[in-house]
């Protein structure tokens, strides 16, 4: 297992470099001059513009800019925003904890609700509960996330008055529950359908029939034998979805006025603040890579038949 972990860590290096290079090239090839944009409609000072371009490496070839950026990232320096003049790492330190809390709430919702619905439908395949779960999850998958956000605001804020329509304090975790539920709603629908299919297939497997024939209690057959094998595809989805939740928070945070990383990323794109955009996306890439590594390691725990060379 130790050799496998070391090999997977080494494999992450070229993936990280390739992904960040692609993002860097895409962001810095966008049309428009971000330095000129700082002056807006006012006449720009050519000397000040030249000084800023040199200071932020805009007058170098793009590959030289990328190498400069990457060498700084290794030391924990994600650059400085030329729009606000603040260190990008400081901006992320303020906003990432908010998005992490929001993503964890969404993650908890999709695990608890998604697995519960999947278990209910999988064990009652073809019955009323199964069809009801399929209809609910199909509705959730069909509704765009921003529409679902407005529906939740109308029901729980305007009609019932349980919460405020938008978040007033992003550091108050109780105010993040509603946007967290919206953010996790699409994923828990996928989790419910995925776990339902996996459970229904494994119910017909020989090892389950053998366990039942041996007279094992139903709780043990379902909780140990059935769930353990049925969770493998679900864990794969959950691992990759954690990164997707943080990236997908850009829409939910905009709807509920959450001052997290998604809001900051949206504002930075509008302001052509390339340093902040690339810094945030770089962190999201790292989250994706680490969550993928965690998923691979969980395989061995869930299924002892899986062995790594």
């Amino acid at each position: 297992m130790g050799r496998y972990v070391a090999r997977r860590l080494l494999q992450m290096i070229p993936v990280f470099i390739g992904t960040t290079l692609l993002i860097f090239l895409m962001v810095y090839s966008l049309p428009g001059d971000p330095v000129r944009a700082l002056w807006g409609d006012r006449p720009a000072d050519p000397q000040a513009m030249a000084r800023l371009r040199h200071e932020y490496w805009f007058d170098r070839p793009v590959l030289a800019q990328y190498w400069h950026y990457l060498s700084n990232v290794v030391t924990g320096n994600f650059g400085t925003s030329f729009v606000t003049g603040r260190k990008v790492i400081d901006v992320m330190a303020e906003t990432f904890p908010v998005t992490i809390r929001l993503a964890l709430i969404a993650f908890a919702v999709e695990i608890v609700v998604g697995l519960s619905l999947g278990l209910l439908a999988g064990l009652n395949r073809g019955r009323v509960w199964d069809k009801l779960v399929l209809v609910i999850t199909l509705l959730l998958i069909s509704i765009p996330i921003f529409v679902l956000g407005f529906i939740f605001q109308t029901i729980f804020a305007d009609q019932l008055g349980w919460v405020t329509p938008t978040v007033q304090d992003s550091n108050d975790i109780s105010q993040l529950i509603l946007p967290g539920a919206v953010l996790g709603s699409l994923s828990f629908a996928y989790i419910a359908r995925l776990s339902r299919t996996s459970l229904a297939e494994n119910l017909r497997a020989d090892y389950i029939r053998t366990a039942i024939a041996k007279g094992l209690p139903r709780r043990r057959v379902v909780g140990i034998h059935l769930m353990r094998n049925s969770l493998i595809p679900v864990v794969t989805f959950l691992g990759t979805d954690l990164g997707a939740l943080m990236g997908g928070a850009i829409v939910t945070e905009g709807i509920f006025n959450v001052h997290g990383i998604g809001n900051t990323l949206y504002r930075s794109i509008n302001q052509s603040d390339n340093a902040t955009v690339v810094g945030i996306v770089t962190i999201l890439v790292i989250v994706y890579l680490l969550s993928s590594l965690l998923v691979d390691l969980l395989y061995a725990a869930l299924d002892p038949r899986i062995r790594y060379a």
Side-chain angles (χ1 to χ4, degrees):
M1 182 61 78
R3 291 177 57 190
Y4 171 74
V5 174
R7 194 170 69 244
R8 286 285 287 107
L9 288 173
L10 289 175
Q11 289 173 351
M12 289 167 61
I13 296 175
V15 175
F16 173 76
I17 293 175
T19 310
T20 52
L21 175 60
L22 184 62
I23 294 166
F24 196 89
L25 293 176
M26 291 173 64
V27 171
Y28 280 82
S29 63
L30 291 174
D33 185 349
V35 178
R36 178 65 184 82
L38 289 176
W39 274 264
D41 295 332
R42 296 169 297 166
D45 180 357
Q47 290 185 344
M49 289 177 62
R51 181 178 55 79
L52 281 175
R53 287 198 178 95
H54 183 73
E55 182 179 348
Y56 289 95
W57 282 62
F58 290 146
D59 55 352
R60 274 82 156 185
V62 66
L63 289 180
Q65 294 180 45
Y66 174 71
W67 178 251
H68 175 71
Y69 170 74
L70 194 63
S71 57
N72 284 332
V73 165
V74 174
T75 62
N77 180 10
F78 287 82
T80 304
S81 166
F82 68 90
V83 175
T84 62
R86 299 184 63 196
K87 293 280 186 184
V88 175
I89 191 71
D90 294 336
V91 175
M92 292 193 293
E94 288 180 3
T95 53
F96 249 111
V98 176
T99 301
I100 289 174
R101 285 194 289 270
L102 184 66
L104 288 178
I105 292 172
F107 202 61
V109 167
E110 69 177 272
I111 289 177
V112 175
V113 182
L115 281 181
S116 300
L117 291 179
L119 186 63
L120 180 66
L123 296 178
N124 297 280
R125 188 173 185 178
R127 299 176 184 172
V128 175
W129 286 113
D130 182 28
K131 294 175 181 176
L132 185 62
V133 169
L134 289 177
V135 170
I136 292 174
T137 53
L138 180 61
L139 282 174
L140 288 173
I141 292 172
S142 305
I143 300 175
I145 194 73
F146 63 91
V147 175
L148 194 65
F150 289 127
I151 292 174
F152 272 51
Q153 281 179 325
T154 303
I155 295 175
F156 295 104
D158 298 338
Q159 300 297 325
L160 299 176
W162 290 354
V163 294
T164 54
T166 56
V167 173
Q168 307 301 314
D169 181 5
S170 297
N171 293 315
D172 185 352
I173 197 166
S174 64
Q175 296 190 26
L176 297 178
I177 292 176
L178 186 62
V182 172
L183 181 61
S185 59
L186 180 61
S187 296
F188 89 63
Y190 283 120
I191 289 290
R193 284 181 163 250
L194 192 61
S195 55
R196 175 249 182 201
T197 303
S198 183
L199 284 164
E201 289 179 355
N202 285 324
L203 269 175
R204 297 194 297 266
D206 292 339
Y207 70 94
I208 293 296
R209 282 199 289 264
T210 303
I212 295 173
K214 288 167 62 178
L216 294 179
R218 179 178 171 82
R219 181 179 300 177
R220 182 175 176 81
V221 173
V222 174
I224 303 297
H225 299 280
L226 182 60
M227 288 295 290
R228 186 169 186 170
N229 290 288
S230 302
L231 281 179
I232 292 177
V234 178
V235 167
T236 306
F237 180 84
L238 286 173
T240 55
D241 195 50
L242 183 59
L245 285 175
M246 299 190 68
I250 184 170
V251 177
T252 309
E253 290 184 358
I255 295 172
F256 290 94
N257 191 38
V258 179
H259 296 290
I261 207 69
N263 232 333
T264 305
L265 182 61
Y266 178 74
R267 191 170 59 251
S268 301
I269 292 173
N270 282 336
Q271 296 173 337
S272 299
D273 189 355
N274 296 345
T276 305
V277 172
V278 174
I280 291 173
V281 177
T282 298
I283 292 294
L284 293 177
V285 169
I286 294 174
V287 171
Y288 266 109
L289 292 175
L290 292 179
S291 58
S292 298
L293 175 64
L294 181 62
V295 167
D296 289 345
L297 297 180
L298 283 175
Y299 278 164
L302 286 171
D303 190 350
R305 295 172 299 178
I306 298 175
R307 293 290 183 268
Y308 301 105

